[in-house]
Amino acid sequence: MVLALLVCGLVVLLVAVGLFVFGLRRRLIQRSGGTFDCSLRWNVAEEPDTSGKGWVYGVARYSGDRINWFRVFSYAPRPRRSLERSAIEVLARRAPEGEEELALLSDSVVLGCVHQGTRLELAMSEDALTGFLAWLEAAPPGQRVNVA
C-alpha cells in the first residue's frame, strides 16, 4: 500500500515538473519578444492538402533576418526550424479547408511558401500574417523579397 502511494506521488510529481518545464520553456522563448503562434507543415505537395495531416503547432520568433520556429510540445531549447528572410518566397494565401480547420487555430490563415527549395505552409492569425509580411518586405536594400 505504501509503495503504491509512493509510486503515485512520484508520478504526480513528474507530471507537475514536466508541465512546469513546458511553461518555463515557452516563457523563455517569448521573453525576448517578437513571437507569435504559428503552425507549420514542412515539405508539402504543390496541391493544397486539406486532410489536416502534417500540421505541427508551434511558436515563431523574429530574430534579425531569421524566423526561428519552436515546437510547442517539446523540451528542446533550440528552434526546430530556422527560416532566413532572403530565402522565403510566398506563393499563396488561403483559408483552412476541410479537416484543416480542426487541426489549426480558429482564426488561422494558411500561407504557402518556398524556403531554399522546400515547399512549406505556415498557419497564423491575420494579425500575425500582417506582421510577417511586413517583416518580409522590410528586408535591407539589395535583398530579394518574393511576396505574392
Side-chain angles (χ1 to χ4, degrees), residues 85-93 111-114 129-139 143-148:
R85 177 177 12 206
S86 62
I88 299 172
E89 181 180 346
V90 176
L91 303 176
R93 172 184 182 172
L111 197 63
C113 302
V114 173
L129 177 63
T130 301
F132 178 76
L133 294 176
W135 175 79
L136 276 178
E137 292 175 358
Q143 278 191 348
R144 174 181 65 95
V145 176
N146 297 310
V147 177

Side-chain angles (χ1 to χ4, degrees), residues 117-141:
T118 303
R119 295 180 67 86
L120 62 110
E121 290 181 327
L122 300 168
M124 59 190 86
S125 70
E126 190 71 43
D127 292 339
L129 177 63
T130 301
F132 178 76
L133 294 176
W135 175 79
L136 276 178
E137 292 175 358

Side-chain angles (χ1 to χ4, degrees), residues 67-116:
I67 291 257
N68 293 322
W69 183 83
F70 300 83
R71 289 177 68 126
V72 166
F73 300 109
S74 172
Y75 291 109
R78 294 189 177 177
R80 179 68 169 230
R81 303 276 183 204
S82 188
L83 309 175
E84 296 175 33
R85 177 177 12 206
S86 62
I88 299 172
E89 181 180 346
V90 176
L91 303 176
R93 172 184 182 172
R94 64 180 178 82
E97 301 169 3
E99 292 180 31
E100 267 184 334
E101 293 181 65
L102 302 173
L104 301 172
L105 295 175
S106 62
D107 63 341
S108 292
V109 177
V110 178
L111 197 63
C113 302
V114 173
H115 181 263
Q116 297 176 342

Side-chain angles (χ1 to χ4, degrees), residues 28-97:
L28 290 173
I29 290 169
Q30 292 179 323
R31 182 176 61 180
S32 63
T35 61
F36 58 97
D37 292 332
C38 178
S39 295
L40 172 75
R41 185 158 54 174
W42 191 260
N43 206 11
V44 297
E46 290 192 30
E47 300 86 32
D49 176 15
T50 59
S51 68
K53 294 180 182 176
W55 284 107
V56 181
Y57 183 60
V59 175
R61 179 176 66 193
Y62 296 106
S63 180
D65 283 339
R66 296 178 171 276
I67 291 257
N68 293 322
W69 183 83
F70 300 83
R71 289 177 68 126
V72 166
F73 300 109
S74 172
Y75 291 109
R78 294 189 177 177
R80 179 68 169 230
R81 303 276 183 204
S82 188
L83 309 175
E84 296 175 33
R85 177 177 12 206
S86 62
I88 299 172
E89 181 180 346
V90 176
L91 303 176
R93 172 184 182 172
R94 64 180 178 82
E97 301 169 3

Side-chain angles (χ1 to χ4, degrees), residues 1-7:
M1 179 68 177
V2 174
L3 183 60
L5 286 175
L6 183 62
V7 169

